[in-house]
Amino acid sequence: LIRAIDYFSLARLYGDVPLMLRSPATAAEGNAPRSSYMKVYEQVIRDLEFAETHMRDEARQAQVSGTTGRPNKAATSMKAAVYAQIACLIENKEYMFFNLDKEGRAPDFSALGINTAEDAWNLSLAASKSVIENGPYQLANSYADLFTWHRGSSAYQSKERVFVLNCTNNTNFSFLTARTMPQWPGGTENTTTTNNNWGRIRPSRYVLIKMAQVHGGVKWTGRGDKLENLYKSCADPRYDLSFYHTQYTKIQNGKESTGKIWPADKNSNSFNNNNWYLPFYKKYFDPHFNVTNGYADFYLMRYAEVILYAAEASAALSKSVNDANWQKAMEYMEMIHARARRSTADGTES
């Protein structure tokens, strides 16, 4: 499973990559040439099918170890993602980053029994439907329940977690929190002087601008600087829930102050010289974060993503907005929309 996920990520990033199925015995073996991206995808599917057959299901996990935390349907879920990617490769040849006229470069997945994009979409739909119809996953009642790092280990029991890199408060794997949040954010245990973190993983300003533009943003007026007419707020609640922007509360050595960031600070018009003024991510806010430790996990695959693959495949296979595939795509999307409507302060749809 892990090898399949790694090679799927590598192939999407780089195309052709060295395909090693055992540890190299010599330096020469470790310097293997690249394999065709199509061969890499074939191996990814073989690995996922092997994992799908041999991984313990929830009942067997409980019998053997008394726990149920292993990603037992992650292989099937990942197949939905891989087949969807293959469909897109076949459908969008004009967007390839390599020369299609060069021998052996045009996407050919016939070794997997895939001759058309429709074949791949059908396989993606079959994999995602298998997970949806056979469990053991379910959507968290509220979107906020996915990021309950303050609950510690109880957050690990969410039925939406298909495959997750776990982090506990006694480990030194707080990469997500440490690299996505600003210094001394209020509400965390990170209140001491020492903090060289500047949130190295940051959202592009374009992301916030585009989101505000589409979802009812309000622009600055009367500033008289280069940021005149940029958006200062957005009606979409995800804007404030997902990002630190404009300013945030800092607490350092018991002293509270305001940290100004983009787009409030007038010095933030330079990408090169003042890149620390970029906005920050807020999704992995962790009250227990103290520079080195924190509970924030990394989701490689959530059940919601499986549902979205089912919706995408159904829509891709539909011939019109009136056929059964399109209607099924809308049903899958409504599962996500219903949860979004429940993600309100009182937990009810509104």
Side-chain angles (χ1 to χ4, degrees):
L1 172 65
I2 293 173
R3 183 169 71 183
I5 291 173
D6 286 346
Y7 270 116
F8 182 43
S9 299
L10 287 168
R12 288 202 292 176
L13 284 169
Y14 303 111
D16 299 348
V17 293
L19 184 60
M20 296 185 182
L21 305 181
R22 62 176 178 81
S23 298
T26 65
E29 287 185 3
N31 193 29
R34 293 185 177 194
S35 297
S36 163
Y37 69 98
M38 291 170 279
K39 294 296 182 184
V40 176
Y41 275 90
E42 290 171 19
Q43 184 62 45
V44 167
I45 292 297
R46 283 195 292 269
D47 282 349
L48 290 176
E49 288 179 342
F50 182 89
E52 191 176 38
T53 301
H54 292 85
M55 290 176 72
R56 298 171 184 167
D57 61 19
E58 199 170 40
R60 180 59 175 162
Q61 290 179 47
Q63 180 184 14
V64 173
S65 63
T67 63
T68 58
R70 288 191 175 192
N72 61 87
K73 291 289 181 65
T76 309
S77 302
M78 288 303 303
K79 281 172 65 178
V82 176
Y83 285 130
Q85 182 67 36
I86 289 174
C88 291
L89 287 169
I90 296 172
E91 286 179 333
N92 300 282
K93 298 182 181 71
E94 65 273 24
Y95 296 113
M96 294 292 190
F97 55 87
F98 44 75
N99 185 355
L100 281 176
D101 294 329
K102 184 178 178 181
E103 183 179 354
R105 302 300 292 164
D108 178 2
F109 297 97
S110 56
L112 294 173
I114 299 172
N115 297 304
T116 65
E118 185 175 352
D119 293 338
W121 283 124
N122 274 310
L123 289 167
S124 180
L125 180 58
S128 51
K129 282 179 64 177
S130 175
V131 176
I132 293 169
E133 294 173 1
N134 299 313
Y137 306 109
Q138 63 187 47
L139 293 174
N141 183 64
S142 168
Y143 184 75
D145 291 340
L146 296 168
F147 305 99
T148 52
W149 314 126
H150 59 285
R151 298 180 189 173
S153 59
S154 66
Y156 303 159
Q157 307 309 313
S158 170
K159 289 292 186 179
E160 190 163 337
R161 298 158 66 96
V162 175
F163 192 57
V164 177
L165 296 182
N166 282 355
C167 178
T168 61
N169 204 36
N170 60 356
T171 66
N172 192 27
F173 183 67
S174 58
F175 186 85
L176 287 171
T177 302
R179 294 295 184 262
T180 60
M181 296 215 305
Q183 290 186 316
W184 311 295
T188 72
E189 296 175 10
N190 174 215
T191 60
T192 60
T193 301
T194 303
N195 183 355
N196 293 322
N197 171 55
W198 288 97
R200 292 166 177 81
I201 302 175
R202 309 281 283 275
S204 164
R205 301 173 191 185
Y206 174 80
V207 173
L208 277 76
I209 293 172
K210 192 66 175 178
M211 189 172 185
Q213 183 183 44
V214 173
H215 297 288
V218 177
K219 291 184 176 181
W220 293 95
T221 57
R223 285 177 56 124
D225 63 12
K226 292 182 180 180
L227 300 182
E228 179 78 25
N229 289 324
L230 283 183
Y231 296 92
K232 65 177 181 179
S233 63
C234 179
D236 191 319
R238 294 174 298 178
Y239 193 82
D240 291 332
L241 287 171
S242 301
F243 307 106
Y244 285 101
H245 64 89
T246 310
Q247 64 183 38
Y248 71 99
T249 300
K250 297 195 297 185
I251 301 178
Q252 181 185 7
N253 293 329
K255 183 180 179 181
E256 184 175 311
S257 61
T258 298
K260 287 188 176 183
I261 50 177
W262 184 91
D265 196 287
K266 293 185 178 182
N267 293 321
S268 59
N269 50 32
S270 169
F271 277 89
N272 297 320
N273 298 324
N274 294 298
N275 59 9
W276 51 85
Y277 288 111
L278 286 166
F280 294 86
Y281 287 112
K282 201 174 186 180
K283 184 178 290 186
Y284 289 95
F285 171 86
D286 178 6
H288 297 282
F289 174 58
N290 64 1
V291 182
T292 58
N293 295 333
Y295 282 117
D297 293 342
F298 181 74
Y299 290 109
L300 276 89
M301 177 74 79
R302 291 192 286 113
Y303 180 53
E305 188 174 351
V306 180
I307 296 172
L308 290 174
Y309 278 121
E312 183 176 9
S314 296
L317 291 167
S318 69
K319 305 303 180 184
S320 77
V321 295
N322 296 315
D323 68 14
N325 281 323
W326 184 264
Q327 296 306 314
K328 196 62 182 179
M330 295 301 100
E331 291 177 19
Y332 287 132
M333 289 303 303
E334 179 55 25
M335 294 170 68
I336 305 296
H337 290 159
R339 195 266 292 281
R341 289 192 295 270
R342 289 195 302 271
S343 301
T344 56
D346 59 4
T348 60
E349 293 194 25
S350 59

